[in-house]
Amino acid sequence: MSRNDALRASRLRVGWRTIETAAARITEHGQQFLDDRHFNVSARTWRRWEGDRPGWPSEPTALVLHDALGRWPEDLGFTTPPGWIRPEHHDEADVKRRAFVSVTAAALVAGPVAPQHVDPALIGYFQQQLEGHYRADMFLGPHDLIGTVSAQYQLIDKLVRSAKGDTRRGLLRVGAAYAALIGWLYQDAGDMDGAHFWRGVTQEIAMRSRDPHLVGYSLVNQAQVRTDLGDGAAVIDLCEAALDNAGRLVPKVRIMALQQQAHGASLTGDRSAVDQLIDEADGLLSTVDDDLPWGNACRRTPGYLEIQRATCYGRLGLGGEAASLWDQVLAVVPETARRDRGVYLARYATAVAGAGEPDQALEIAQSAVQIAVETQSARMRRELATLQDVMKPWRDAPVGRDLTAALKLVVEES
């Protein structure tokens, strides 16, 4: 039996009749086994494995293959590397450690590194790439970008160790922005441990850069994680800390801190504070004129502050008022902003359901489900799960059963 036949026979034995099915099943199995949402084996990789030169899988992948197929890679036709020793025994703590290492690898590269010349033009290069990543995030969602952005961050970190003076300071600034984006991608993917780690990296680099705007930005990033964790008091604490030196901050960072503090206020049930904070942020919008490459959602996103207000109103249970705002917001959000539009649609559906309109909520939710399947955004799945809770009064009615059927794929995976 040739090498490729061994793996093919094993996948057929467990019922994976096509390479595409095998890639999908091993990916799903690996994500559960390693507790790593970003574990992935593509159909192209599996096809190579069944070819004449299958290579050798990484150790985590070897563990996943063994757990799924009951055989080690050398018994599946892979080319055994020198010195390979089977990890015959591994416990849950070791698997968890491997998953954590995969999250932190780009940020915790051991030094020292070989010194090299670092051209100041690289700062502009990474800034341009960053803007492209922001745009791609709107189209793709988190899973397709985490590896790319993490690899670029690792390169920036390597260059920082050799750079001097203003070049080093500039690379630290852009590195903080990359770390913040990675943290956001993990947060959108539903990996709050990974998000919290990378938000901490952002804050460390911001402090090293001595840039007050980045320090404020990093505190707001921490507050975003706390918002998703439902810790309103911590959100307020972090945003107040960011605003302690408001006079030194560009308007953009102040807007970010004020609107995030409004989210904290909504978590504590303070509607008057929500409106006050968002109104104050709105008064600053026309003064945003910096050229910083990060944190530009307030001027890139149509209806940015009304999106925040609608989200806060929904959290406060103000279904009718939130639905009215979402109706206005979605009229100006472009179809190309797929992931964000999906999140807004899910929140809109929840607000409509809260206002007593289940049939309209179902119609809106069906559009959100399609986007959730495409982007694999955990935030969107979470919003749709919230909708399902709000729709419980109609659970046994036809509209409730139709919603359960529509949400089955995305909600059961969350």
mmCIF file of all heavy atoms in Angstrom, residues 11-12 14-30 40-44 46-47 49-50 68-69:
data_model
loop_
_atom_site.group_PDB
_atom_site.id
_atom_site.type_symbol
_atom_site.label_atom_id
_atom_site.label_comp_id
_atom_site.label_asym_id
_atom_site.label_seq_id
_atom_site.Cartn_x
_atom_site.Cartn_y
_atom_site.Cartn_z
ATOM 1 N N ARG A 11 -9.408 7.591 6.253
ATOM 2 C CA ARG A 11 -10.543 8.519 6.223
ATOM 3 C C ARG A 11 -11.819 7.835 5.735
ATOM 4 O O ARG A 11 -12.920 8.111 6.221
ATOM 5 C CB ARG A 11 -10.223 9.749 5.393
ATOM 6 C CG ARG A 11 -10.143 9.568 3.897
ATOM 7 C CD ARG A 11 -10.236 10.912 3.182
ATOM 8 N NE ARG A 11 -9.822 10.841 1.789
ATOM 9 C CZ ARG A 11 -10.633 10.472 0.800
ATOM 10 N NH1 ARG A 11 -11.881 10.107 1.053
ATOM 11 N NH2 ARG A 11 -10.172 10.450 -0.453
ATOM 12 N N LEU A 12 -11.672 6.911 4.776
ATOM 13 C CA LEU A 12 -12.848 6.182 4.310
ATOM 14 C C LEU A 12 -13.407 5.284 5.409
ATOM 15 O O LEU A 12 -14.630 5.096 5.520
ATOM 16 C CB LEU A 12 -12.490 5.346 3.077
ATOM 17 C CG LEU A 12 -12.188 6.139 1.791
ATOM 18 C CD1 LEU A 12 -11.698 5.188 0.698
ATOM 19 C CD2 LEU A 12 -13.406 6.920 1.328
ATOM 20 N N VAL A 14 -13.608 5.952 8.513
ATOM 21 C CA VAL A 14 -14.445 6.712 9.444
ATOM 22 C C VAL A 14 -15.582 7.443 8.722
ATOM 23 O O VAL A 14 -16.287 8.257 9.315
ATOM 24 C CB VAL A 14 -13.603 7.731 10.253
ATOM 25 C CG1 VAL A 14 -12.621 7.000 11.144
ATOM 26 C CG2 VAL A 14 -12.899 8.732 9.343
ATOM 27 N N GLY A 15 -15.752 7.157 7.428
ATOM 28 C CA GLY A 15 -16.896 7.705 6.711
ATOM 29 C C GLY A 15 -16.672 9.023 6.023
ATOM 30 O O GLY A 15 -17.637 9.659 5.567
ATOM 31 N N TRP A 16 -15.411 9.478 5.897
ATOM 32 C CA TRP A 16 -15.114 10.742 5.222
ATOM 33 C C TRP A 16 -14.867 10.427 3.748
ATOM 34 O O TRP A 16 -13.746 10.175 3.320
ATOM 35 C CB TRP A 16 -13.902 11.417 5.846
ATOM 36 C CG TRP A 16 -14.090 11.752 7.309
ATOM 37 C CD1 TRP A 16 -15.250 11.724 8.020
ATOM 38 C CD2 TRP A 16 -13.068 12.125 8.237
ATOM 39 N NE1 TRP A 16 -15.037 12.067 9.344
ATOM 40 C CE2 TRP A 16 -13.688 12.324 9.496
ATOM 41 C CE3 TRP A 16 -11.696 12.319 8.139
ATOM 42 C CZ2 TRP A 16 -12.979 12.712 10.628
ATOM 43 C CZ3 TRP A 16 -10.983 12.708 9.267
ATOM 44 C CH2 TRP A 16 -11.626 12.908 10.493
ATOM 45 N N ARG A 17 -15.909 10.495 2.959
ATOM 46 C CA ARG A 17 -15.855 9.955 1.605
ATOM 47 C C ARG A 17 -15.092 10.858 0.633
ATOM 48 O O ARG A 17 -14.593 10.382 -0.394
ATOM 49 C CB ARG A 17 -17.266 9.678 1.091
ATOM 50 C CG ARG A 17 -18.056 8.749 2.016
ATOM 51 C CD ARG A 17 -19.352 8.313 1.371
ATOM 52 N NE ARG A 17 -19.126 7.413 0.242
ATOM 53 C CZ ARG A 17 -18.909 6.110 0.346
ATOM 54 N NH1 ARG A 17 -18.868 5.550 1.549
ATOM 55 N NH2 ARG A 17 -18.718 5.375 -0.716
ATOM 56 N N THR A 18 -15.014 12.150 0.922
ATOM 57 C CA THR A 18 -14.285 13.057 0.025
ATOM 58 C C THR A 18 -13.202 13.787 0.811
ATOM 59 O O THR A 18 -13.247 13.874 2.047
ATOM 60 C CB THR A 18 -15.218 14.101 -0.602
ATOM 61 O OG1 THR A 18 -15.679 15.001 0.424
ATOM 62 C CG2 THR A 18 -16.416 13.440 -1.279
ATOM 63 N N ILE A 19 -12.241 14.329 0.082
ATOM 64 C CA ILE A 19 -11.169 15.108 0.710
ATOM 65 C C ILE A 19 -11.740 16.349 1.379
ATOM 66 O O ILE A 19 -11.305 16.727 2.475
ATOM 67 C CB ILE A 19 -10.109 15.475 -0.353
ATOM 68 C CG1 ILE A 19 -9.251 14.247 -0.666
ATOM 69 C CG2 ILE A 19 -9.235 16.643 0.104
ATOM 70 C CD1 ILE A 19 -8.241 14.444 -1.776
ATOM 71 N N GLU A 20 -12.728 16.971 0.734
ATOM 72 C CA GLU A 20 -13.337 18.172 1.318
ATOM 73 C C GLU A 20 -14.005 17.850 2.649
ATOM 74 O O GLU A 20 -13.881 18.603 3.625
ATOM 75 C CB GLU A 20 -14.355 18.764 0.333
ATOM 76 C CG GLU A 20 -13.750 19.423 -0.895
ATOM 77 C CD GLU A 20 -13.173 18.433 -1.889
ATOM 78 O OE1 GLU A 20 -13.570 17.239 -1.841
ATOM 79 O OE2 GLU A 20 -12.330 18.844 -2.719
ATOM 80 N N THR A 21 -14.696 16.721 2.712
ATOM 81 C CA THR A 21 -15.325 16.306 3.970
ATOM 82 C C THR A 21 -14.270 16.025 5.033
ATOM 83 O O THR A 21 -14.407 16.422 6.195
ATOM 84 C CB THR A 21 -16.180 15.047 3.749
ATOM 85 O OG1 THR A 21 -17.222 15.355 2.824
ATOM 86 C CG2 THR A 21 -16.797 14.571 5.064
ATOM 87 N N ALA A 22 -13.190 15.350 4.643
ATOM 88 C CA ALA A 22 -12.122 15.032 5.603
ATOM 89 C C ALA A 22 -11.516 16.296 6.185
ATOM 90 O O ALA A 22 -11.286 16.390 7.404
ATOM 91 C CB ALA A 22 -11.045 14.194 4.914
ATOM 92 N N ALA A 23 -11.252 17.296 5.320
ATOM 93 C CA ALA A 23 -10.656 18.546 5.804
ATOM 94 C C ALA A 23 -11.589 19.248 6.775
ATOM 95 O O ALA A 23 -11.159 19.760 7.815
ATOM 96 C CB ALA A 23 -10.325 19.457 4.619
ATOM 97 N N ALA A 24 -12.877 19.273 6.454
ATOM 98 C CA ALA A 24 -13.849 19.933 7.327
ATOM 99 C C ALA A 24 -13.968 19.209 8.661
ATOM 100 O O ALA A 24 -14.010 19.841 9.728
ATOM 101 C CB ALA A 24 -15.207 20.014 6.640
ATOM 102 N N ARG A 25 -13.998 17.866 8.629
ATOM 103 C CA ARG A 25 -14.184 17.094 9.874
ATOM 104 C C ARG A 25 -12.939 17.170 10.767
ATOM 105 O O ARG A 25 -13.055 17.273 11.990
ATOM 106 C CB ARG A 25 -14.499 15.635 9.533
ATOM 107 C CG ARG A 25 -15.820 15.418 8.835
ATOM 108 C CD ARG A 25 -17.000 15.706 9.763
ATOM 109 N NE ARG A 25 -18.257 15.488 9.062
ATOM 110 C CZ ARG A 25 -18.907 16.432 8.389
ATOM 111 N NH1 ARG A 25 -18.406 17.666 8.338
ATOM 112 N NH2 ARG A 25 -20.045 16.161 7.778
ATOM 113 N N ILE A 26 -11.752 17.107 10.157
ATOM 114 C CA ILE A 26 -10.540 17.162 10.991
ATOM 115 C C ILE A 26 -10.376 18.561 11.580
ATOM 116 O O ILE A 26 -9.885 18.722 12.709
ATOM 117 C CB ILE A 26 -9.288 16.734 10.191
ATOM 118 C CG1 ILE A 26 -8.175 16.261 11.148
ATOM 119 C CG2 ILE A 26 -8.768 17.848 9.305
ATOM 120 C CD1 ILE A 26 -8.491 14.966 11.851
ATOM 121 N N THR A 27 -10.797 19.592 10.839
ATOM 122 C CA THR A 27 -10.758 20.955 11.372
ATOM 123 C C THR A 27 -11.678 21.079 12.578
ATOM 124 O O THR A 27 -11.285 21.591 13.636
ATOM 125 C CB THR A 27 -11.172 21.964 10.286
ATOM 126 O OG1 THR A 27 -10.179 21.965 9.245
ATOM 127 C CG2 THR A 27 -11.290 23.363 10.862
ATOM 128 N N GLU A 28 -12.909 20.594 12.429
ATOM 129 C CA GLU A 28 -13.869 20.648 13.537
ATOM 130 C C GLU A 28 -13.362 19.859 14.736
ATOM 131 O O GLU A 28 -13.432 20.320 15.887
ATOM 132 C CB GLU A 28 -15.214 20.104 13.055
ATOM 133 C CG GLU A 28 -16.311 20.106 14.112
ATOM 134 C CD GLU A 28 -17.610 19.517 13.589
ATOM 135 O OE1 GLU A 28 -17.669 19.151 12.394
ATOM 136 O OE2 GLU A 28 -18.562 19.414 14.377
ATOM 137 N N HIS A 29 -12.823 18.671 14.481
ATOM 138 C CA HIS A 29 -12.312 17.831 15.565
ATOM 139 C C HIS A 29 -11.139 18.512 16.268
ATOM 140 O O HIS A 29 -11.059 18.516 17.504
ATOM 141 C CB HIS A 29 -11.873 16.477 15.002
ATOM 142 C CG HIS A 29 -11.546 15.469 16.054
ATOM 143 N ND1 HIS A 29 -12.495 14.633 16.618
ATOM 144 C CD2 HIS A 29 -10.373 15.171 16.675
ATOM 145 C CE1 HIS A 29 -11.918 13.863 17.525
ATOM 146 N NE2 HIS A 29 -10.624 14.165 17.578
ATOM 147 N N GLY A 30 -10.232 19.093 15.479
ATOM 148 C CA GLY A 30 -9.064 19.748 16.059
ATOM 149 C C GLY A 30 -9.422 20.956 16.898
ATOM 150 O O GLY A 30 -8.813 21.201 17.950
ATOM 151 N N ASN A 40 -6.995 24.757 11.719
ATOM 152 C CA ASN A 40 -7.617 24.585 10.415
ATOM 153 C C ASN A 40 -6.751 23.710 9.518
ATOM 154 O O ASN A 40 -5.527 23.849 9.483
ATOM 155 C CB ASN A 40 -7.822 25.945 9.739
ATOM 156 C CG ASN A 40 -8.504 25.807 8.382
ATOM 157 O OD1 ASN A 40 -9.681 25.468 8.307
ATOM 158 N ND2 ASN A 40 -7.757 26.074 7.326
ATOM 159 N N VAL A 41 -7.390 22.790 8.824
ATOM 160 C CA VAL A 41 -6.755 21.997 7.779
ATOM 161 C C VAL A 41 -7.591 22.194 6.519
ATOM 162 O O VAL A 41 -8.781 21.875 6.499
ATOM 163 C CB VAL A 41 -6.688 20.497 8.143
ATOM 164 C CG1 VAL A 41 -6.187 19.681 6.952
ATOM 165 C CG2 VAL A 41 -5.789 20.285 9.354
ATOM 166 N N SER A 42 -6.981 22.739 5.476
ATOM 167 C CA SER A 42 -7.716 23.004 4.244
ATOM 168 C C SER A 42 -7.787 21.745 3.383
ATOM 169 O O SER A 42 -7.003 20.794 3.550
ATOM 170 C CB SER A 42 -7.035 24.115 3.450
ATOM 171 O OG SER A 42 -5.774 23.687 2.969
ATOM 172 N N ALA A 43 -8.718 21.754 2.435
ATOM 173 C CA ALA A 43 -8.818 20.634 1.487
ATOM 174 C C ALA A 43 -7.535 20.505 0.679
ATOM 175 O O ALA A 43 -7.092 19.392 0.345
ATOM 176 C CB ALA A 43 -10.023 20.845 0.575
ATOM 177 N N ARG A 44 -6.916 21.653 0.381
ATOM 178 C CA ARG A 44 -5.655 21.623 -0.369
ATOM 179 C C ARG A 44 -4.573 20.893 0.413
ATOM 180 O O ARG A 44 -3.811 20.099 -0.158
ATOM 181 C CB ARG A 44 -5.217 23.052 -0.669
ATOM 182 C CG ARG A 44 -3.925 23.157 -1.448
ATOM 183 C CD ARG A 44 -3.574 24.606 -1.721
ATOM 184 N NE ARG A 44 -2.328 24.746 -2.465
ATOM 185 C CZ ARG A 44 -1.784 25.902 -2.796
ATOM 186 N NH1 ARG A 44 -2.378 27.031 -2.470
ATOM 187 N NH2 ARG A 44 -0.648 25.943 -3.465
ATOM 188 N N TRP A 46 -5.043 18.598 2.787
ATOM 189 C CA TRP A 46 -5.354 17.165 2.851
ATOM 190 C C TRP A 46 -5.021 16.481 1.521
ATOM 191 O O TRP A 46 -4.515 15.359 1.490
ATOM 192 C CB TRP A 46 -6.828 16.952 3.201
ATOM 193 C CG TRP A 46 -7.102 15.517 3.552
ATOM 194 C CD1 TRP A 46 -7.157 14.464 2.700
ATOM 195 C CD2 TRP A 46 -7.305 14.984 4.870
ATOM 196 N NE1 TRP A 46 -7.392 13.293 3.377
ATOM 197 C CE2 TRP A 46 -7.489 13.583 4.713
ATOM 198 C CE3 TRP A 46 -7.359 15.534 6.139
ATOM 199 C CZ2 TRP A 46 -7.743 12.744 5.800
ATOM 200 C CZ3 TRP A 46 -7.612 14.690 7.217
ATOM 201 C CH2 TRP A 46 -7.786 13.323 7.050
ATOM 202 N N ARG A 47 -5.278 17.183 0.421
ATOM 203 C CA ARG A 47 -4.973 16.614 -0.889
ATOM 204 C C ARG A 47 -3.467 16.360 -1.024
ATOM 205 O O ARG A 47 -3.041 15.334 -1.580
ATOM 206 C CB ARG A 47 -5.468 17.563 -1.981
ATOM 207 C CG ARG A 47 -5.412 16.962 -3.385
ATOM 208 C CD ARG A 47 -6.141 17.853 -4.384
ATOM 209 N NE ARG A 47 -7.587 17.805 -4.193
ATOM 210 C CZ ARG A 47 -8.311 18.803 -3.664
ATOM 211 N NH1 ARG A 47 -7.722 19.926 -3.301
ATOM 212 N NH2 ARG A 47 -9.603 18.676 -3.518
ATOM 213 N N TRP A 49 -1.494 15.730 1.480
ATOM 214 C CA TRP A 49 -1.220 14.594 2.350
ATOM 215 C C TRP A 49 -1.467 13.263 1.634
ATOM 216 O O TRP A 49 -0.784 12.276 1.895
ATOM 217 C CB TRP A 49 -2.102 14.665 3.601
ATOM 218 C CG TRP A 49 -1.697 15.712 4.592
ATOM 219 C CD1 TRP A 49 -0.565 16.463 4.584
ATOM 220 C CD2 TRP A 49 -2.448 16.105 5.734
ATOM 221 N NE1 TRP A 49 -0.549 17.307 5.663
ATOM 222 C CE2 TRP A 49 -1.695 17.114 6.392
ATOM 223 C CE3 TRP A 49 -3.668 15.735 6.284
ATOM 224 C CZ2 TRP A 49 -2.140 17.735 7.563
ATOM 225 C CZ3 TRP A 49 -4.114 16.348 7.450
ATOM 226 C CH2 TRP A 49 -3.343 17.339 8.080
ATOM 227 N N GLU A 50 -2.448 13.217 0.763
ATOM 228 C CA GLU A 50 -2.752 11.978 0.063
ATOM 229 C C GLU A 50 -1.937 11.832 -1.231
ATOM 230 O O GLU A 50 -2.130 10.880 -1.980
ATOM 231 C CB GLU A 50 -4.250 11.885 -0.244
ATOM 232 C CG GLU A 50 -5.094 11.677 1.000
ATOM 233 C CD GLU A 50 -6.512 11.210 0.702
ATOM 234 O OE1 GLU A 50 -6.769 10.814 -0.453
ATOM 235 O OE2 GLU A 50 -7.344 11.236 1.631
ATOM 236 N N ALA A 68 -8.531 11.472 16.065
ATOM 237 C CA ALA A 68 -9.667 11.299 15.154
ATOM 238 C C ALA A 68 -9.642 9.953 14.428
ATOM 239 O O ALA A 68 -10.693 9.332 14.235
ATOM 240 C CB ALA A 68 -9.681 12.434 14.131
ATOM 241 N N LEU A 69 -8.444 9.506 14.030
ATOM 242 C CA LEU A 69 -8.338 8.312 13.186
ATOM 243 C C LEU A 69 -7.761 7.100 13.903
ATOM 244 O O LEU A 69 -7.764 5.994 13.364
ATOM 245 C CB LEU A 69 -7.483 8.619 11.947
ATOM 246 C CG LEU A 69 -7.979 9.772 11.062
ATOM 247 C CD1 LEU A 69 -7.000 10.010 9.914
ATOM 248 C CD2 LEU A 69 -9.372 9.479 10.522
#
